[in-house]
Amino acid sequence: MKPHVFVAMPFGVKPGHDGSPIDFNRIYDDYLVPALAAAGLDVFRADEELRAGDIRTDMFQELLIADLVVADLTLDNPNVWYELGVRHALRARGVILVQGPRPTQPFDIYTDRKLHYRLKDGMPDPATLAEDREALTSMAVATLQAWQGRKLSPVYNLLPNLREPDWKTLLLAERNEFSVAYEEWASRMEVARQKTRAGDILVLAEETPTRALRIEARRAAGEALLKLRHYDFALEQFEAVLALDAEHKPARERKAVCLGRLGRFEEAREWVRRLTEEYPRDSEVWALSGRVEKDSWMSRWRREGASAAELHEAAAFEDAALADAIEPYRKAFIIDPSHHYSGINALTLQMLRRHLGGADEPVLIDNLVGGVLWAALTAQERSHKDYWARASYAELCLLVNPLDTVRREYGATAAAANGDWFALDSSRQTLCLLRDLEFRPPETAAALGIIDREVARSTPPFQPRRVFLFSGHMIDAPDRASPRFPPDKEAIAAQGIAAALDALGAGPGDLALAQGASGGDLLFLEACKARGVRLQLMLPFTEPEFIERSVSPAADGASWCKRYYTLRAGLPDAPRIMPVELGPLPKTGRTERMNAYERCNRWLLNTALAWGIDRVHFVCLWNGASGDGTGGTAHMYEEVKRRTGRVSWIDTRMLW
């Protein structure tokens, strides 16, 4: 989606300062719109003369939410000054001032940088119009790229401690075009988030009309990917948030988590250090520091295939690193005694330290036991369904209580998970740590057995070994002017696809993503099915429309339709329908909408990448030409090559 720009300016023909008429509609049409469109912006202006203070809802919403506001100060128009004042009061950045000829400058903005455009006979001067447009285009691009730079609003410059309101507080009470679109978009985002469909979230993130929504969407995508433990791709999303808002605290925190989980501990520590300096009384920040140090400590001694005795000895040797992990958790719990997550981590690690032969510190342990007991129980009082409070209390019982109590509390914790595989697996990871270090073996084994049984009952997220993404030519329609995939080449193409899949070792445990068009798509899907690969069809239209557009037009279309339905009948998962999952095609301008095939290709690609960048392989049946436009095989090939480089290109020029 294009960023939005709101234009505040007079309308129609108005007398200039010398009394000569100025045609502001021509200025808008000939100067502003072309220049701003060239910068990749969607331009919005109210379409009628307004009385001062009588601002239509849609226009006012755009004024507040738009990525950029361009104010024309050629005349001292009350509406323009009012709109500029509102923007300066509520947004710190994103304003460009332009003006035509005027004898004096307004005092309040005398020193502000303004772009000047030239007029002739009250309209943009043809002799300088191209130059004026280019200057505005360049400034618009520079302003958007330098969003994190100097605050342009004089209000925020003069009041350095003033913070911009959260963008959601700028949504008007009265429903308007933006709020309706946002509600629909947010609803689809929430469904995708609940289903942990990071690919859907990524597509929706790319389609947001404003910077504020892009931040929210990228963060949601990062959270979903973090939950799926795809840390590299999650990191990309949080870095995208920080490119839009360098001070975004949750994204900074999550970036540190991703860096730690990727083993980039020095970078993670640096990000956390900055956060603790800026937020020294924030328990979440100190808990994050503890998490990074805990991950670092575990990475120093955990080795695949090592015996329990070897792990115990190696962990004991890393006592200093363990102490570094305990301290920030302890600080977080002191700052906020209700933060049971920090308390139980500090206590568990301290008791492991004693177990491994390190410092005992009985007073600290006793204080932590009492604090965690209070924090976990009061959290349960506030919400009986709080899984994490129950998990903290159960872990406390494992540390200090007898076996029967451990069994009872872990049973209650497992029930509170309500089948949430991710929550259960998080508890399991802690129990595996205790098991590996032989901490209270009977109690740990009992707790782990209870959690393992509940994990087995829940539905774990499908994790494919590899993801095969496909795009390729359709079988030629009878009326195609120049042959591309003639029907008599079907067998040769099928052999090429089969050979590519065999070379990649495709088989059970893998996932294949494709549309289902006649020709390459169906040949690929049939070959994958024959090798035991799990299939997922993703269609750009409703199924009847897709069949009409992409299956039946082929030569011998009836036969291809039959093959489509035969394949579909054996699928474990129904085809996913893009308009149902992602909503209608988003606008790319005032009247234009996005290409459905391009959007579906992005949906396929993002869905594949969400399983893990290193798992994605792209197979294409293609003649190397640019194809029939945006959304074809060429588009997908370039996107995948740029992202992963793992491409198996079956070049039809070499087949026939």
Side-chain angles (χ1 to χ4, degrees):
M1 292 288 287
K2 297 178 182 178
H4 280 205
V5 55
F6 175 83
V7 177
M9 67 181 301
F11 300 90
V13 178
K14 297 288 188 295
H17 292 278
D18 61 358
S20 59
I22 300 176
D23 190 340
F24 284 97
N25 288 347
R26 287 291 300 273
I27 292 168
Y28 179 74
D29 292 334
D30 297 349
Y31 165 56
L32 292 171
V33 171
L36 296 169
L41 294 158
D42 189 11
V43 188
F44 181 92
R45 182 184 78 158
D47 56 3
E48 60 181 339
E49 183 70 37
L50 302 171
R51 299 188 308 276
D54 183 17
I55 298 181
R56 289 188 306 114
T57 303
D58 286 345
M59 189 196 85
F60 197 78
Q61 188 68 82
E62 282 284 345
L63 173 64
L64 298 178
I65 296 295
D67 296 281
L68 199 62
V69 168
V70 174
D72 188 323
L73 303 179
T74 304
L75 303 181
D76 292 326
N77 182 282
N79 282 329
V80 174
W81 283 108
Y82 175 75
E83 291 157 17
L84 180 60
V86 169
R87 178 72 179 200
H88 276 332
L90 294 173
R91 303 293 299 275
R93 300 174 178 86
V95 171
I96 293 177
L97 305 179
V98 300
Q99 71 174 54
R102 58 176 296 159
T104 60
Q105 298 299 319
F107 174 77
D108 287 346
I109 58 165
Y110 184 79
T111 59
D112 289 4
R113 183 182 177 189
K114 294 177 287 294
L115 279 180
H116 295 264
Y117 59 85
R118 274 73 56 98
L119 297 177
K120 183 177 181 180
D121 299 327
M123 294 178 286
D125 186 346
T128 59
L129 181 56
E131 181 183 344
D132 291 342
R133 284 178 181 170
E134 184 177 348
L136 178 54
T137 299
S138 298
M139 179 169 278
V141 170
T143 301
L144 290 172
Q145 290 178 344
W147 190 267
Q148 302 305 324
R150 183 177 66 89
K151 296 176 181 178
L152 298 177
S153 164
V155 176
Y156 288 87
N157 269 323
L158 292 170
L159 300 172
N161 296 319
L162 182 64
R163 292 186 175 272
E164 283 185 292
D166 179 79
W167 72 270
K168 288 183 181 178
T169 66
L170 301 179
L171 292 176
L172 304 184
E174 184 178 342
R175 285 171 64 82
N176 56 79
E177 182 182 3
F178 178 87
S179 65
V180 170
Y182 167 70
E183 287 169 7
E184 182 178 341
W185 176 87
S187 175
R188 296 188 186 283
M189 279 286 293
E190 179 60 20
V191 170
R193 188 193 64 78
Q194 290 181 3
K195 294 181 177 180
T196 322
R197 287 181 171 166
D200 294 19
I201 296 173
L202 287 165
V203 174
L204 292 167
E206 294 167 355
E207 297 174 355
T208 55
T210 67
R211 178 180 298 267
L213 292 185
R214 286 194 288 278
I215 289 173
E216 179 177 322
R218 288 290 183 182
R219 180 187 172 188
E223 295 287 358
L225 290 163
L226 190 58
K227 191 175 183 180
L228 291 168
R229 299 177 186 166
H230 299 322
Y231 304 119
D232 49 357
F233 205 23
L235 178 60
E236 284 189 28
Q237 310 315 311
F238 296 123
E239 287 179 335
V241 172
L242 294 172
L244 296 168
D245 181 0
E247 302 303 315
H248 195 277
K249 180 173 173 282
R252 294 167 68 190
E253 292 171 341
R254 289 297 187 263
K255 178 173 180 175
V257 171
C258 291
L259 289 170
R261 292 301 165 92
L262 289 168
R264 295 160 60 179
F265 296 113
E266 291 305 318
E267 294 174 75
R269 287 190 184 100
E270 177 59 22
W271 278 90
V272 171
R273 182 190 64 77
R274 296 176 193 170
L275 284 164
T276 54
E277 287 180 354
E278 293 179 38
Y279 303 95
R281 300 295 300 170
D282 190 312
S283 59
E284 290 289 346
V285 167
W286 283 107
L288 172 60
S289 177
R291 183 174 181 175
V292 169
E293 296 301 337
K294 179 181 175 182
D295 286 347
S296 176
W297 169 66
M298 292 169 62
S299 73
R300 296 170 72 93
W301 57 265
R302 261 191 165 165
R303 296 290 181 271
E304 192 73 30
S307 67
E310 290 170 333
L311 291 174
H312 190 287
E313 181 182 1
F317 187 75
E318 301 295 343
D319 180 71
L322 178 54
D324 287 343
I326 294 169
E327 182 58 20
Y329 278 127
R330 187 185 69 83
K331 281 186 178 179
F333 198 42
I334 291 172
I335 291 168
D336 182 3
S338 69
H339 201 257
H340 55 81
Y341 168 81
S342 298
I344 192 61
N345 272 279
L347 177 59
T348 298
L349 293 178
Q350 185 61 48
M351 294 191 73
L352 279 175
R353 190 182 187 196
R354 181 174 68 181
H355 172 71
L356 293 168
D360 188 354
E361 301 196 47
V363 175
L364 173 60
I365 289 175
D366 287 346
N367 289 340
L368 286 171
V369 168
V372 172
L373 177 63
W374 174 83
L377 290 179
T378 53
Q380 290 182 57
E381 284 294 319
R382 289 191 296 271
S383 174
H384 294 293
K385 296 182 179 180
D386 187 339
Y387 173 82
W388 300 109
R390 285 192 172 276
S392 291
Y393 181 66
E395 189 174 332
L396 172 63
C397 292
L398 188 153
L399 298 176
V400 299
N401 284 354
L403 182 58
D404 287 346
T405 304
V406 174
R407 288 195 180 106
R408 182 180 68 247
E409 293 306 324
Y410 268 93
T413 298
N418 196 28
D420 186 336
W421 186 91
F422 293 102
L424 290 164
D425 189 62
S426 178
S427 294
R428 188 179 187 280
Q429 296 301 317
T430 298
L431 293 171
C432 287
L433 169 64
L434 299 176
R435 177 202 62 194
D436 290 348
L437 296 179
E438 298 183 298
F439 181 86
R440 300 194 79 189
E443 290 80 3
T444 297
L448 189 56
I450 292 167
I451 295 298
D452 277 344
R453 284 193 295 275
E454 196 65 24
V455 166
R457 293 191 192 104
S458 64
T459 303
F462 172 62
Q463 290 289 341
R465 182 180 57 154
R466 284 169 304 180
V467 180
F468 297 115
L469 184 62
F470 181 84
S471 182
H473 296 313
M474 294 171 56
I475 285 282
D476 290 347
D479 59 351
R480 183 176 178 87
S482 56
R484 186 178 61 180
F485 187 173
D488 62 353
K489 305 301 182 184
E490 176 192 332
I492 299 174
Q495 291 171 9
I497 290 171
L501 290 172
D502 288 339
L504 293 169
D510 295 330
L511 174 67
L513 301 177
Q515 296 184 34
S518 60
D521 283 356
L522 283 173
L523 292 174
F524 167 77
L525 292 166
E526 289 170 346
C528 286
K529 182 179 180 182
R531 287 158 178 77
V533 177
R534 181 170 175 168
L535 309 182
Q536 178 64 70
L537 273 67
M538 301 175 70
L539 309 184
F541 309 103
T542 60
E543 197 167 33
E545 184 179 356
F546 176 75
I547 291 170
E548 182 181 351
R549 285 172 174 256
S550 300
V551 183
S552 61
D556 198 10
S559 174
W560 283 104
C561 287
K562 183 178 179 180
R563 289 168 72 170
Y564 173 88
Y565 285 119
T566 299
L567 181 81
R568 187 198 188 289
L571 293 177
D573 304 303
R576 298 188 64 200
I577 310 300
M578 188 172 73
V580 175
E581 306 275 0
L582 303 180
L585 294 172
K587 291 182 178 180
T588 56
R590 286 294 153 193
T591 58
E592 306 85 11
R593 288 194 177 271
M594 186 176 290
N595 179 285
Y597 292 104
E598 178 187 1
R599 190 191 198 199
C600 194
N601 271 352
R602 290 191 297 106
W603 189 31
L604 282 160
L605 177 60
N606 283 323
T607 299
L609 292 172
W611 291 114
I613 294 174
D614 58 343
R615 300 181 185 185
V616 178
H617 296 260
F618 180 55
V619 180
C620 60
L621 180 72
W622 182 38
N623 63 6
S626 58
D628 294 330
T630 304
T633 303
H635 173 81
M636 178 69 92
Y637 175 86
E638 292 299 330
E639 281 296 300
V640 178
K641 186 178 179 181
R642 179 178 66 85
R643 294 305 306 267
T644 74
R646 297 186 183 91
V647 175
S648 296
W649 177 8
I650 305 165
D651 192 340
T652 58
R653 295 170 299 184
M654 307 297 291
L655 290 181
W656 56 77

